[in-house]
Amino acid sequence: MGSPLDRPPLAERRRLLVVDDEVPVLKLVTRILATDNYEIAAAESGDAALRVMAQPGFAGVDLLVTDLMMPGMNGRELAAVVRKSNPQVRVLYVTGFADTLFTGVNELGPAESFIEKPFGADGLLEATRLLMFGQ
């Protein structure tokens, strides 16, 4: 089997919300995921993500891709707020601090995963496909 970049884009379109306080990372992640036929909204903070979701006509989100460590609202806090209105959302935590991911937590939930920075396009696409579709 080739890399995820060698595969055709997904036939089933899903909505993603990508959140990262580092603008270059946010743009890179968004650009990579756009190659896989996702509909993507992006935000530079947890508060900005909540404003995006509160916009009239926002159709919800299937996958939240969020930086774990952000100023203000961190990725775990954001996921908890998003799940209040959308309990089925899947969450992919992006982190350069995997050791802090499990601080006070024994394990990730069934609809959660993480990818550690630095990562490549193949790794990010594979992580989102596995979390969304199990493939």
Side-chain angles (χ1 to χ4, degrees), residues 28-111:
L28 177 64
V29 169
T30 301
R31 190 169 51 244
I32 291 168
L33 293 174
T35 66
D36 225 0
N37 197 30
Y38 292 113
E39 180 182 330
I40 301 170
E44 297 174 16
S45 69
D47 289 333
L50 297 179
R51 286 192 298 274
V52 167
M53 292 183 68
Q55 291 178 355
F58 187 79
V61 61
D62 299 302
L63 175 64
L64 172 64
V65 179
T66 181
D67 189 8
L68 180 65
M69 303 297 288
M70 296 183 289
M73 185 183 306
N74 69 40
R76 279 196 182 281
E77 293 165 337
L78 175 60
V81 172
V82 170
R83 283 193 166 135
K84 285 181 182 175
S85 62
N86 190 357
Q88 301 304 316
V89 71
R90 296 175 184 280
V91 180
L92 178 64
Y93 297 105
V94 178
T95 182
F97 306 97
D99 55 330
T100 62
L101 181 65
F102 296 102
T103 301
V105 176
N106 292 331
E107 60 187 42
L108 292 170

Side-chain angles (χ1 to χ4, degrees), residues 115-134:
I115 186 167
E116 191 166 10
K117 296 176 187 176
F119 52 81
D122 285 348
L124 180 61
L125 291 169
E126 187 71 16
T128 56
R129 282 180 180 228
L130 284 170
L131 193 53
M132 287 301 306
F133 304 103

